């Protein structure tokens, strides 16, 4: 098979057009399987209410969940790391420049040694 | 792309879809029987996952009132279609990948993210508190297992780039040049550590115990799948079955690419059949050690423990594996 638009990196390769074509065909297969199933349900009935173990559903707009909650498990597990890292982000340009120069110097030293 | 290529893509994708779905459901059945036997139960028949699928197709396909309908319905389709598309980049037995030369190991790592992201999107689109928590946990689990998975893939990519082979990142190249014959004692130990890492990344990718925190039936009543029913739920189950085959096939291609036909004097067709059967056995063995045995022996981790296991312990283990493979290459 010889297909245009293949990107070669010298180590590997990938062809986005070919993947998209395969994805579209796979989507058709998935749609065909889906079409075998039952389509109906009772709209606007109790079965369309969210399952919350019998609890009352909170009023819409009554609560606000910040996006950072998405990563709660990660932030909690890495708390020790973030407790040190967050205070370093002072918001002052001078501090960031010092960090940038420090890391650049370290990379240069490591690069020269290796 | 000419007509011949198009026919090749259509037939190849259809064949991979059929193989992935049938083999995925079959291995789900084997897993359930084995787990039942280890718990001293008789368990369901092997065909139970097929019966479950048929039953789900007869159930109502409820779309919750709070859901975003088009996203809610699209997520299972994308999950299944993207899982099937990855099959085209993986060698199966002595059959080279259908898309050989058009995708490499690094691409597979990226494509593996799509089914998991589709589940996250589906969960968030459900408009359910349980599903939202499940989606949040799926995101965190995904971030967690990416580190050891990426480190393992980097180790392989680095090693094969060092060997000076053509297309070193190609899975077909990796399968044709088994890693064990390319490393010394230190590299051998490093590869063993990478194998352990991949074995433990697999249940996380598949959301199996002890890494099933996003679903957590007893806690979140199914988590990100809680609002799914009928044909939409069936598609998610099918995508998990296909993904199980994808992941185990990747482990086989990376670590156990050997074929029986190379040791037996056989003509072309019987050799293909024997290699195909041997490939299915290898998948079964990997599935047994990475899914069945682990899920029977352990309880569910909390989400913070999932991060600990993947980022701290397996991250360190895979890094040691990578370093050993590199040191081995330098001193050889």
């Amino acid at each position: 098979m010889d297909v245009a638009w293949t990107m070669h990196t010298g180590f590997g390769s990938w062809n986005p057009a070919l993947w998209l074509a395969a994805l579209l065909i796979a989507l058709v297969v998935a749609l065909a399987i889906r079409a075998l199933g039952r389509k109906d349900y009772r709209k606007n009935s109790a079965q369309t209410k969210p399952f919350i173990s019998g609890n009352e559903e909170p009023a819409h707009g009554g609560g606000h969940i910040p996006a950072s909650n998405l990563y709660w498990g990660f932030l909690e597990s890495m708390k020790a790391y973030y407790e040190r890292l967050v205070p370093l982000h002072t918001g002052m340009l001078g501090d960031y420049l010092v960090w940038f120069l420090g890391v650049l110097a370290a990379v240069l030293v490591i690069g020269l040694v290796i | 792309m000419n007509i011949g290529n198009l026919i090749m893509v259509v037939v190849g994708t259809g064949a991979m879809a059929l193989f992935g779905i049938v083999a995925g459901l079959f291995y789900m059945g084997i897993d359930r029987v084995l787990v039942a036997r280890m718990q001293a139960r008789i368990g369901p028949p092997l065909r139970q996952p097929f019966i479950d699928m048929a039953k789900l197709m007869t159930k109502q396909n409820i779309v919750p009132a709070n859901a975003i309908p088009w996203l809610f319905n699209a997520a299972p389709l994308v999950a299944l279609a993207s899982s099937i598309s990855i099959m085209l980049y993986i060698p199966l037995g002595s059959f080279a990948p259908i898309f050989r030369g058009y995708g490499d190991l690094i691409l597979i790592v990226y494509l593996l993210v799509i089914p998991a992201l589709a589940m996250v999107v589906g969960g968030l689109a459900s408009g359910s508190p349980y599903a939202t928590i499940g989606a949040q946990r799926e995101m965190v689990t995904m971030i967690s297992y990416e580190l050891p998975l990426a480190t393992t893939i980097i180790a392989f990519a680095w090693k094969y780039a060092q060997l000076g082979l053509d297309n070193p990142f190609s899975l077909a190249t990796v399968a044709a040049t088994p890693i064990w014959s390319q490393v010394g004692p230190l590299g051998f130990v490093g590869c063993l550590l990478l194998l352990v890492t991949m074995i433990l990344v697999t249940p996380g990718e598949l959301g199996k115990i002890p890494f099933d925190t996003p679903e957590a039936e007893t806690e979140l009543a199914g988590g990100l799948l809680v609002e799914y029913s009928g044909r939409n739920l069936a598609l998610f189950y099918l995508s998990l079955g296909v993904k199980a085959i994808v992941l185990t096939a990747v482990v086989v291609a990376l670590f156990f690419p050997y074929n029986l036909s190379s040791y037996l004097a056989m003509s072309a067709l019987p050799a293909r059949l024997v290699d195909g059967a041997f490939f299915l056995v290898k998948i079964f063995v990997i599935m047994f050690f990475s899914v069945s045995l682990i899920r029977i022996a352990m309880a569910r981790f909390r989400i913070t423990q999932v991060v600990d296991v993947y980022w701290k312990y397996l991250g360190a283990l895979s890094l040691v594996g990578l370093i050993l493979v590199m040191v081995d290459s330098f001193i050889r």
Side-chain angles (χ1 to χ4, degrees):
Chain A
M1 198 158 56
D2 186 23
V3 185
W5 305 323
T6 303
M7 291 190 285
H8 296 280
T9 61
F11 295 97
S13 54
W14 103 283
N15 188 311
L18 207 54
W19 176 73
L20 270 178
L23 184 72
L24 286 175
I25 295 159
L27 270 174
V28 172
V29 172
L31 276 168
I33 295 170
R34 190 173 188 270
L36 297 173
R38 193 170 156 184
K39 301 175 181 67
D40 65 303
Y41 68 99
R42 293 195 297 276
K43 288 182 182 172
N44 305 318
S45 69
Q47 69 174 193
T48 62
K49 287 183 178 173
F51 174 75
I52 325 179
S53 305
N55 295 309
E56 200 62 36
E57 187 187 355
H60 288 191
H64 175 69
I65 302 169
S68 59
N69 272 33
L70 269 180
Y71 305 103
W72 178 83
F74 193 82
L75 298 175
E76 183 68 16
S77 173
M78 309 288 273
K79 200 174 356 184
Y81 169 71
Y82 283 108
E83 275 175 357
R84 291 170 186 275
L85 194 74
V86 172
L88 297 176
H89 291 73
T90 57
M92 297 172 74
L93 186 61
D95 288 353
Y96 291 122
L97 279 174
V98 170
W99 275 111
F100 174 72
L101 289 172
V103 171
L104 190 66
V107 169
L108 284 174
V109 168
I110 291 168
L112 286 172
V113 168
I114 292 176
Chain B
M1 198 185 299
N2 59 35
I3 292 292
N5 289 341
L6 194 63
I7 291 171
M8 181 71 182
V9 174
V10 172
V11 173
T13 308
M16 285 299 108
L18 185 67
F19 171 72
I21 288 170
V22 172
L25 290 178
F26 183 63
Y27 279 110
M28 275 184 189
I30 294 178
D31 171 62
R32 287 174 70 172
V33 170
L34 284 176
V35 167
R37 296 295 158 88
M38 284 189 277
Q39 290 174 331
R41 293 186 288 115
I42 294 173
L46 266 183
R47 64 181 188 283
Q48 188 62 46
F50 293 91
I51 299 169
D52 291 346
M53 284 305 109
K55 188 178 176 185
L56 279 174
M57 288 297 186
T58 65
K59 295 287 182 186
Q60 291 181 336
N61 184 52
I62 301 165
V63 179
N66 293 345
I68 303 168
W70 72 271
L71 259 185
F72 183 81
N73 288 320
L77 286 170
V78 173
L80 178 58
S82 55
S83 301
I84 292 170
S85 74
I86 311 171
M87 296 278 300
L88 293 150
Y89 297 94
I90 298 170
L92 307 174
S94 54
F95 292 96
I98 293 173
F99 284 176
R100 182 180 187 171
Y102 298 105
D104 55 28
L105 205 44
I106 311 294
L107 175 68
I108 292 170
V109 176
Y110 279 100
L111 293 184
L112 277 171
V113 175
I114 300 177
L117 269 184
M119 288 186 86
V120 170
V121 169
L124 291 173
S126 300
S128 154
Y130 284 157
T132 306
I133 295 170
Q136 169 232 319
R137 290 182 178 184
E138 179 69 25
M139 284 281 286
V140 170
T141 306
M142 205 164 62
I143 297 167
S144 304
Y145 62 64
E146 283 298 321
L147 175 70
L149 175 66
T151 310
T152 304
I153 298 302
I154 287 167
F156 271 83
W158 186 86
K159 179 65 193 173
Y160 280 89
Q162 285 289 105
L163 293 175
L165 302 167
D166 283 341
N167 291 321
F169 291 3
S170 160
L171 208 49
T173 306
V174 175
T177 322
I179 186 81
W180 308 104
S181 58
Q182 305 299 325
V183 293
L186 267 183
F188 189 87
V189 175
C191 287
L192 276 180
L193 297 181
L194 296 174
L195 174 61
V196 171
T197 304
M198 280 301 286
I199 292 281
L200 293 174
V201 163
T202 303
E205 281 262 14
L206 298 175
K208 298 287 186 188
I209 295 172
F211 303 105
D212 65 331
T213 34
E215 290 181 33
E217 281 89 356
T218 49
E219 181 193 349
L220 293 179
L224 43 76
L225 296 179
V226 66
E227 297 297 338
Y228 275 97
S229 58
R231 57 185 186 171
N232 277 341
L233 186 58
L235 288 181
F236 267 134
Y237 277 128
L238 287 180
S239 82
L240 282 175
V242 175
K243 202 174 166 190
I245 298 296
V246 165
L247 280 165
T248 45
V250 168
V251 176
V252 165
L254 289 177
F255 294 98
F256 308 106
Y258 303 98
N259 285 315
L260 279 181
S261 63
S262 52
Y263 301 101
L264 307 166
M266 300 177 94
S267 55
L269 184 62
R272 294 268 183 183
L273 293 174
V274 167
D275 288 342
F278 188 50
F279 171 74
L280 293 176
V281 171
K282 287 189 284 186
I283 280 188
F284 159 71
V285 173
I286 302 286
M287 197 87 83
F288 176 73
F289 283 105
S290 63
V291 176
S292 309
L293 201 59
I294 293 176
R295 86 181 178 95
I296 194 70
M298 300 187 73
R300 182 184 310 123
F301 283 137
R302 290 198 305 270
I303 189 66
T304 49
Q305 291 171 323
V306 170
V307 179
D308 284 346
V309 167
Y310 280 130
W311 264 72
K312 295 172 185 171
Y313 306 123
L314 281 183
L317 194 73
S318 56
L319 202 60
V320 172
L322 167 66
I323 290 168
L324 286 177
V325 168
M326 292 175 80
V327 171
D328 179 75
S329 288
F330 288 135
I331 62 174
R332 280 188 98 194

